[in-house]
Amino acid sequence: MLRKGFLGLVSDWMTSILDKYPRNLATAIETFGMKSLFRRVDSAEDLGMLFSEWLVFDHQSPAFDGMTGLAYFCSRDTLGLPERELMAYRELLDFKVGYFEVTAVRPAQSVTLQDMEGEEYVVADINSSMNLIAGETIWARIASISGVYHIVGSQVLRASFTYSPGMKRTIVQWGKNAVDAKRATDIKYGAGGTGTNESKKERLPEKEAAEEFDAALSAAGMNDMLSSTTIKKWANNERKFPLGFPMKTVFFLMPEDLTNKKRDRIASTLQTYLSNLPRKSLKGKTPLQASAEQNPEERHLEMDIYGYKDYADDVHTANGLMPHDPEKAYVAYERLVQRLLDEKVPIITAFRIFCNAGLCLLMQQDERVESLGFELIRASLRLNPLYDFGLRQKERCIDPYYDLSSAPKKDRVFLKAMASLVEEDGQRRYRRTIFRKYEKFLEDAGISLKYKTVTTPTLYQPREDGKMAKIGRNDPCYCGSGKKFKKCCGR
């Protein structure tokens, strides 16, 4: 275990230095948000300890030549410590701070903590081993000293939530030491962090909250996609639609060109509606009612975060393959839809994925897959009947196939029968694909992707040297109409 006073020595030394620089100290207090936080919380002592820790480990202060207090202490050694002892302080510089899940506890010995990347640390800390329990989420600062991990921060904060995979990925992207003491207080005390601030949730009658959410959807042009009735359906079937499903779903259903103001209005009215919606799992109470009746330490929420960028790499990979290797591109689109289905994500651009996958099959110029290509384009229009690019592809690829006006009358019955066989074959093939399963997932959830789209396609054609070149606006259209691209399929 750490010897008594090991960490206090740095803190006391730092305080004596900062006393000589009151202006720098005032700047640090303002940056940390100390004044406003003292007015909000019961325990100013907790914040005082975290503030001191922040100055030692995290805050790069002018008083310490732009370094943290600990880095300055180790580089200057103004106390003349023995080299062996100074080496132990230098090991503190390689600390890890943030949120951990408690995976195991050995009373009076140690706790095992798992970070957001899944790496585990056995931490020697008697006090924590007597107070923490397996399954909890905590904020803490740990470091390895002489090969043994210790809790080196002044505080261990219990968090009233667990993290979902999306939130874990985001925290990892913040960096190893991004969740410092200031961010931890933001979350714990509701001072603008990413946590849930119960006081901001309005208590409204269910009907009024539903009307406000529907009005926000209507203002964003999303009222054809879903409604408060759909949200209530999900809330009443928590086995099929888990707790975080409504918020994640609505996020991914927002059109790409929606303004931030409209996005924020939808998110806030949805959160209010969900908080005022009675749940079977809460014995008919709303989440707000159930939360108010609990002890604050017992509240346990699920924290998650979402972003289109989670799927951007998959989309770009498939799109990049499409011009020169449509067969591999189709497989990439299949994998993408499989992932969306596994993670229950009704992404607003799904109809584009369906249409592109269908075009990949048609680009192969193989009669064996042509019928499925037709059906995928039709499916994209079932998802969004207003999809402009899909309508153009139906007009260009499918409609001529069924137009028998130029065929001899004696052949029309036969050609019509052949067209019906092709359509039936496409439907049969489609039923066995992951695309049909994904379409059914949307149907079962009562989700529509209907909204007016404006698509400017980026298309390519082969050059004489075999490479692919982007079609210019004034180039002849690839469909063979004889018109310029901008006046035909590119309009």
Side-chain angles (χ1 to χ4, degrees):
M1 306 304 290
L2 288 175
R3 67 174 177 78
K4 188 175 181 180
F6 181 78
L7 297 171
L9 178 67
V10 182
S11 182
D12 292 343
W13 167 84
M14 181 205 66
T15 301
S16 68
I17 296 294
L18 284 176
D19 284 343
K20 301 175 185 177
Y21 297 89
R23 181 176 297 177
N24 289 328
L25 184 60
T27 301
I29 290 174
E30 184 178 347
T31 304
F32 193 77
M34 195 75 163
K35 292 180 180 179
S36 61
L37 287 172
F38 267 135
R39 290 195 296 269
R40 293 194 208 195
V41 300
D42 298 328
S43 178
E45 182 181 352
D46 286 354
L47 287 174
M49 294 170 69
L50 285 170
F51 176 64
S52 175
E53 176 179 335
W54 182 67
L55 290 174
V56 170
F57 289 97
D58 304 316
H59 183 54
Q60 297 176 338
S61 171
F64 301 122
D65 292 342
M67 293 184 278
T68 64
L70 179 61
Y72 187 89
F73 178 84
C74 292
S75 64
R76 297 297 189 276
D77 186 25
T78 56
L79 298 182
L81 299 176
E83 180 61 23
R84 182 177 178 182
E85 188 170 344
L86 195 59
M87 283 179 62
Y89 284 107
R90 290 189 182 121
E91 286 187 283
L92 282 177
L93 291 170
D94 193 29
F95 63 83
K96 187 176 183 69
V97 62
Y99 290 97
F100 300 89
E101 294 176 0
V102 181
T103 59
V105 177
R106 297 181 65 189
Q109 295 185 55
S110 65
V111 292
T112 302
L113 306 180
Q114 185 180 87
D115 64 16
M116 298 294 104
E117 293 181 287
E119 187 172 349
E120 289 195 336
Y121 306 86
V122 178
V123 181
D125 191 88
I126 294 176
N127 185 52
S128 296
S129 71
M130 301 300 290
N131 290 283
L132 299 178
I133 59 174
E136 282 188 300
T137 302
I138 64 167
W139 176 89
R141 190 185 306 267
I142 64 175
S144 176
I145 301 172
S146 300
V148 179
Y149 272 98
H150 299 273
I151 290 179
V152 296
S154 57
Q155 282 278 76
V156 173
L157 299 180
R158 274 189 166 95
S160 59
F161 40 78
T162 56
Y163 286 120
S164 294
M167 191 68 188
K168 288 182 179 179
R169 287 194 298 268
T170 300
I171 291 175
V172 170
Q173 291 170 3
W174 288 346
K176 173 183 170 185
N177 298 323
V179 191
D180 64 16
K182 180 180 182 299
R183 185 183 285 259
T185 57
D186 285 347
I187 295 175
K188 181 176 174 63
Y189 299 113
T194 58
T196 302
N197 187 347
E198 294 291 334
S199 64
K200 291 183 179 180
K201 292 181 182 177
E202 298 180 58
R203 297 176 184 271
L204 293 175
E206 179 188 335
K207 183 179 179 181
E208 184 179 344
E211 289 172 351
E212 291 192 4
F213 174 62
D214 286 332
L217 289 176
S218 181
M222 293 176 61
N223 47 311
D224 284 339
M225 297 187 196
L226 72 163
S227 66
S228 59
T229 303
T230 313
I231 301 297
K232 189 170 183 178
K233 169 188 171 183
W234 299 339
N236 287 335
N237 190 352
E238 293 176 359
R239 178 176 297 179
K240 188 171 184 179
F241 305 107
L243 188 62
F245 182 78
M247 186 62 75
K248 179 172 72 172
T249 297
V250 172
F251 174 87
F252 279 111
L253 287 179
M254 293 185 192
E256 298 160 292
D257 58 351
L258 206 61
T259 64
N260 288 335
K261 184 176 181 181
K262 289 179 179 178
R263 286 176 180 275
D264 292 343
R265 182 182 176 189
I266 290 172
S268 62
T269 54
L270 173 60
Q271 184 61 60
T272 301
Y273 180 47
L274 290 171
S275 299
N276 289 275
L277 202 56
R279 307 295 179 88
K280 292 180 180 177
S281 60
L282 299 177
K283 299 179 180 179
K285 298 176 184 175
T286 70
L288 280 181
Q289 291 170 333
S291 180
E293 294 174 9
Q294 286 180 326
N295 188 297
E297 283 75 21
E298 294 175 350
R299 297 176 189 174
H300 210 65
L301 308 173
E302 181 85 355
M303 290 284 287
D304 208 346
I305 196 166
Y306 321 107
Y308 291 105
K309 63 183 179 181
D310 292 342
Y311 307 94
D313 288 344
D314 292 347
V315 172
H316 292 157
T317 297
N319 290 347
L321 288 169
M322 190 173 174
H324 55 83
D325 197 337
E327 189 172 351
K328 286 185 178 179
Y330 176 78
V331 174
Y333 285 125
E334 275 189 320
R335 285 198 299 264
L336 172 57
V337 173
Q338 180 69 66
R339 184 182 170 202
L340 291 171
L341 183 62
D342 291 342
E343 298 176 14
K344 292 185 172 14
V345 175
I347 200 163
I348 187 66
T349 55
F351 47 80
R352 291 182 183 170
I353 297 169
F354 276 53
C355 189
N356 284 352
L359 288 175
C360 284
L361 296 178
L362 297 181
M363 289 166 66
Q364 295 177 39
Q365 297 183 345
D366 185 342
E367 292 183 356
R368 292 173 298 178
V369 296
E370 187 178 59
S371 61
L372 178 56
F374 289 162
E375 189 60 27
L376 279 166
I377 293 175
R378 290 193 186 95
S380 74
L381 292 172
R382 288 197 294 271
L383 298 183
N384 185 354
L386 303 180
Y387 180 32
D388 61 337
F389 183 69
L391 289 169
R392 290 204 297 272
Q393 300 319 305
K394 180 176 180 295
E395 179 185 341
R396 180 177 73 89
C397 301
I398 301 178
D399 292 348
Y401 194 90
Y402 292 89
D403 182 10
L404 307 178
S405 59
S406 61
K409 289 185 178 180
K410 62 185 179 63
D411 296 334
R412 290 181 185 177
V413 174
F414 172 75
L415 292 175
K416 187 175 181 180
M418 288 296 295
S420 296
L421 288 174
V422 170
E423 186 170 352
E424 290 174 6
D425 182 64
Q427 293 171 350
R428 177 178 56 80
R429 289 172 178 264
Y430 179 72
R431 283 195 292 270
R432 297 199 299 265
T433 66
I434 192 64
F435 297 96
R436 173 54 190 146
K437 292 180 181 178
Y438 187 76
E439 184 180 3
K440 188 174 187 305
F441 155 66
L442 297 177
E443 291 171 351
D444 291 345
I447 294 170
S448 166
L449 304 182
K450 180 182 176 182
Y451 77 101
K452 189 174 181 180
T453 64
V454 180
T455 307
T456 303
T458 301
L459 296 173
Y460 298 82
Q461 61 185 356
R463 300 190 314 205
E464 291 182 1
D465 59 5
K467 295 184 178 179
M468 304 302 293
K470 183 178 177 181
I471 298 177
R473 295 181 70 250
N474 293 311
D475 290 343
C477 188
Y478 63 91
C479 71
S481 66
K483 299 179 182 178
K484 290 184 179 181
F485 175 64
K486 67 181 179 182
K487 292 186 177 180
C488 190
C489 293
R491 71 181 185 269

